[in-house]
Amino acid sequence: ERGIKNIELSGGTDFYEGIEDDLRALSGKYNLTYACHAYFPPPREPFVVNLASCNDKIYRQSIEHYEKCIRMLKRIDCKFLSVHAGFMVEVGTNEIGRKLSSRIVYEEDSAYERFCNAYEHILKECTKNGIELYLENNVLSAENYEEFEHHNYLMMTDYSSILKMREKLDFNLLLDLGHLHVSAQTLRRDFRDECSKLKKYLKWIHISENNGISDEHKTLKAGSEILEEFHKIYVQGLNDLTLRRLVAVFIDFMILCGIQMCVGMCGFFLTADIWMQDGKKFMDVAWCINICSFFLMWLYFFFSDYCENIGVGKKIMKIELVSEGQKLTVNKMLKHSILKWISAAVWPFSIAYYFMKKEMVYDRYLKIRVRDKISEV
């Protein structure tokens, strides 16, 4: 009724038998798109999910939770899942988002090894089921930092610890700006500097307001430090990808002009004698040459999607096109190449639309978006 179509399923809910049926019914009624975060669906018996746990029971429960979650996401056609980085300390269900009191601390190398193994297992399950997986940074409050005598027992709280994880694991970063705001103040880091250094890695953002002391999850305020950084990251990132895609299209266009010029020149030299002797026959041959050049254009568009090395523009600009978080299927490549070919035929209108909407005419139909590949290098 309010026009909201994208909903993230997250914690703070209680288990009940009909939750999956309700999600399917709501999705069908309102045409919703779901993303799933961390502690969803709620387990029958509450526990704290920790993929870095050295407690075998919690570790097994955590992995099983996400295996069950992935099966449910497949059934409700949800394409996105995000999980939290691990904790190197045992956390009770009554301590989430609050002061930690546990004195059970895990050995760091073992915790990281367990987390990486669990994450890679979950990633494989997600990939098999057409789901894109993201990893979110934790929040370190001053209260917990002091409680543990200035030891940071949470993974991925700031730039240096996120980079430490990237050295061990390849992942899509979900950057929670509220978490980073608190952690930066706790660790005496510059929040703006942390955001600036992390923006090239992030793929998804969570945003809420807080006082920098605890993760309050308050509504956004105009002029706040968090909102200002979000604006810098989102608007600059969007404009950057928009420009890079446009340059990629221009590069491909110039390549196609070269191909058509070569075909035209070859056709001219091959048909020069025919033109001198029989004008009508020459026109027939010229039409055939034009059809061949247009066919070569479509073929280039298709194979530039099918084979990354052929897509010169996207390769130079370090971008790729994805649909619903996944690489394009062959069926979508065919549709995309045909629609791109049509758009190229009316390129002044296509480019004008792209500047106004920051997307191609066919992007919504094919559910296409541009993904940055620079951070994957």
Side-chain angles (χ1 to χ4, degrees), residues 136-193:
E136 182 183 5
N137 56 309
N138 277 317
V139 56
L140 178 65
S141 68
E143 185 178 42
N144 283 324
Y145 197 46
E146 290 169 9
E147 177 69 18
F148 287 97
E149 299 176 347
H150 297 91
H151 291 290
N152 183 4
Y153 292 125
L154 305 181
M155 296 176 179
M156 289 179 57
T157 54
D158 61 327
Y159 173 72
S160 61
S161 57
I162 290 171
L163 241 59
K164 179 178 179 178
M165 183 67 81
R166 283 187 65 84
E167 291 170 359
K168 301 174 182 292
L169 199 62
D170 183 25
F171 62 89
N172 293 322
L173 174 62
L174 191 171
L175 184 64
D176 189 310
L177 291 176
H179 289 182
L180 186 62
H181 190 239
V182 174
S183 299
Q185 185 153 316
T186 299
L187 296 168
R188 297 185 179 181
R189 309 276 195 267
D190 184 289
F191 174 64
R192 289 186 173 87
D193 184 54

Side-chain angles (χ1 to χ4, degrees), residues 71 196 214 253:
R71 291 194 294 270
S196 178
S214 63
F253 182 74

Side-chain angles (χ1 to χ4, degrees), residues 265-333:
M265 292 296 290
C266 289
F268 175 78
F269 286 118
L270 290 172
T271 59
D273 290 341
I274 298 173
W275 176 66
M276 296 293 292
Q277 297 170 13
D278 189 340
K280 184 178 182 301
K281 190 175 181 181
F282 171 76
M283 290 303 296
D284 292 338
V285 174
W287 272 110
C288 289
I289 291 170
N290 278 330
I291 290 169
C292 286
S293 66
F294 282 122
F295 176 74
L296 287 172
M297 183 189 295
W298 168 78
L299 211 59
Y300 176 79
F301 286 150
F302 175 75
F303 279 103
S304 67
D305 285 337
Y306 188 79
C307 180
E308 290 184 0
N309 291 326
I310 293 177
V312 179
K314 294 195 288 287
K315 188 176 181 181
I316 291 173
M317 289 296 103
K318 292 184 170 58
I319 59 172
E320 65 177 338
L321 301 182
V322 295
S323 178
E324 298 179 297
Q326 304 295 317
K327 290 183 182 293
L328 301 185
T329 62
V330 174
N331 183 42
K332 285 199 174 178
M333 288 176 190

Side-chain angles (χ1 to χ4, degrees), residues 207-275:
I207 181 169
S208 62
E209 289 290 350
N210 61 57
N211 56 10
I213 298 170
S214 63
D215 189 24
E216 299 174 297
H217 287 106
K218 288 186 174 180
T219 54
L220 300 174
K221 295 186 298 185
S224 74
E225 190 176 34
I226 292 174
L227 194 56
E228 283 180 2
E229 288 307 308
F230 169 75
H231 185 268
K232 287 181 192 174
I233 291 168
Y234 180 74
V235 174
Q236 290 176 5
L238 183 64
N239 288 340
D240 179 55
L241 282 176
T242 301
L243 180 61
R244 281 158 60 191
R245 187 182 186 185
L246 186 63
V247 173
V249 169
F250 178 75
I251 291 169
D252 288 341
F253 182 74
M254 295 305 294
I255 290 171
L256 288 169
C257 285
I259 291 172
Q260 286 191 311
M261 187 179 291
C262 290
V263 172
M265 292 296 290
C266 289
F268 175 78
F269 286 118
L270 290 172
T271 59
D273 290 341
I274 298 173
W275 176 66

Side-chain angles (χ1 to χ4, degrees), residues 23-76:
L23 289 171
R24 273 201 294 260
L26 289 168
S27 175
K29 183 177 180 180
Y30 297 108
N31 191 29
L32 302 177
T33 298
Y34 293 129
C36 185
H37 176 58
Y39 306 116
F40 196 91
R44 288 176 184 270
E45 296 295 327
F47 75 100
V48 176
V49 175
N50 183 9
L51 295 173
S53 179
C54 293
N55 178 315
D56 289 341
K57 181 182 178 182
I58 295 173
Y59 187 64
R60 186 173 59 254
Q61 279 183 309
S62 300
I63 293 173
E64 288 172 354
H65 166 80
Y66 285 118
E67 289 174 338
K68 179 182 176 182
C69 172
I70 290 165
R71 291 194 294 270
M72 186 202 74
L73 297 187
K74 178 73 172 177
R75 292 193 295 268
I76 66 172

